Amino acid sequence: MTPDASAAAAAAAPQSTPEVSLELQVRLKTEDGQLLLLLPPETNSEPATASASTWTELWQQLKVRLNAGERFWQPNAEVQLMGNDRLLDIRQLQEIAEALSEVELQLKRVHTSRRQTAVAAATAGYCVEQQPPVSSLNKAAAEKPQSLAEPLYLQMTVRSGVEIRHPGTVVLLGDVNPGGSVIAGGDILVWGRLRGVVHAGAGGNTKSVIMTLQMEPMVIRIAKYVARGPETSPAQFFPEVAYVTPQGIRIGRASDFDKSQLVGGNE
């Protein structure tokens, strides 16, 4: 074969297309009866063209996924957004919710490992679960964390139907309304009225506490201990703290509380 023929053959040979990992694409799937919208990680070692590296690219992928092919979901099905380490603001979350609404889906819960995204989702009124990056509801962390995550600070009202989950302490400047819930691996501090459901020390730490300006909870939990709120409201409110004693959960004035009263640890 002459050099010219070799060059022509090489030019005519089909160019191989690099494989694109599904993990780097926007995906919509069902798992354990739940509908998950999985976003690609914001940081990866693949070429920039292999994943949705910008919001514009991610948005285009999302529209294609939602409008291409047959719809395998039931109308008005609830969607859990698996955000991984993707940084999303309120506007972007609202745009995702609107895109889902156009195909008869409802954004219900946001799973994220980014504090800013967790705050944005909670502020927008969605249920939030802040956790290490995962692509599956069943995928557990490889190792148990050695310490609690940094506190999550929120300025909002946790309304009915909204659930906030965080592996560390939650500090809320606002109220927890009946039907709303806060679940934390550490303490829960509510600078407002607590009238919903709260669970501190969710990982088993009985030294966690719940503090609030007005203690009117439906149910409070600390580690494995459970207590119901009072049936009637007191004539006067004081800042109060709930903590675990050998007899169970006790609620007392915050001004009289001392950490030496705490018992136990992780269970």
Side-chain angles (χ1 to χ4, degrees):
M1 183 179 293
T2 65
D4 290 342
S6 298
Q15 299 295 320
S16 60
T17 302
E19 294 186 2
V20 178
S21 171
L22 288 177
E23 300 293 333
L24 302 179
Q25 301 294 306
V26 176
R27 292 180 291 152
L28 191 66
K29 72 172 186 177
T30 56
E31 183 176 292
D32 295 336
Q34 301 186 75
L35 189 58
L36 310 183
L37 176 61
L38 295 94
L39 303 185
E42 190 159 287
T43 56
N44 63 79
S45 58
E46 300 293 331
T49 57
S51 67
S53 58
T54 68
W55 167 249
T56 300
E57 294 170 350
L58 185 146
W59 176 251
Q60 292 173 346
Q61 279 195 23
L62 174 62
K63 297 292 285 185
V64 170
R65 295 295 183 274
L66 294 178
N67 294 286
E70 296 184 3
R71 298 183 181 181
F72 59 87
W73 55 84
Q74 296 294 324
N76 298 317
E78 294 182 349
V79 175
Q80 303 207 35
L81 176 63
M82 312 300 290
N84 293 306
D85 67 345
R86 177 71 58 171
L87 184 61
L88 300 169
D89 58 29
I90 293 179
R91 176 186 60 82
Q92 292 167 337
L93 288 169
Q94 290 175 338
E95 289 181 359
I96 291 174
E98 290 171 1
L100 292 171
S101 178
E102 291 175 359
V103 294
E104 299 183 282
L105 293 174
Q106 299 179 14
L107 179 58
K108 177 65 175 179
R109 181 184 295 269
V110 177
H111 298 252
T112 179
S113 62
R114 300 292 293 266
R115 290 165 52 81
Q116 300 95 320
T117 301
V119 171
T123 303
Y126 301 113
C127 297
V128 178
E129 183 162 350
Q130 188 178 354
Q131 57 188 22
V134 295
S135 61
S136 166
L137 290 178
N138 296 329
K139 186 181 293 183
E143 296 182 0
K144 187 175 181 179
Q146 298 299 315
S147 59
L148 291 177
E150 293 186 4
L152 176 64
Y153 297 91
L154 298 171
Q155 184 174 355
M156 59 175 292
T157 296
V158 180
R159 305 185 185 281
S160 178
V162 174
E163 179 182 274
I164 307 298
R165 284 180 177 264
H166 179 64
T169 290
V170 173
V171 180
L172 175 68
L173 182 59
D175 300 334
V176 181
N177 286 352
S181 64
V182 179
I183 302 172
D187 302 329
I188 297 176
L189 311 179
V190 179
W191 201 254
R193 299 178 68 186
L194 172 52
R195 297 185 294 158
V197 176
V198 287
H199 185 183
N205 186 1
T206 57
K207 289 189 175 182
S208 297
V209 301
I210 299 168
M211 300 184 71
T212 180
L213 296 183
Q214 292 190 21
M215 185 78 75
E216 306 172 81
M218 299 173 64
V219 176
I220 57 175
R221 296 184 62 186
I222 300 177
K224 66 179 182 180
Y225 297 90
V226 184
R228 298 192 65 85
E231 295 183 359
T232 58
S233 299
Q236 187 174 5
F237 287 99
F238 300 92
E240 292 182 299
V241 56
Y243 57 97
V244 172
T245 71
Q247 292 74 39
I249 293 178
R250 178 182 177 183
I251 298 176
R253 289 194 182 188
S255 58
D256 299 331
F257 174 71
D258 188 279
K259 286 188 176 181
S260 62
Q261 298 171 268
L262 298 177
V263 298
N266 286 318
E267 294 188 354

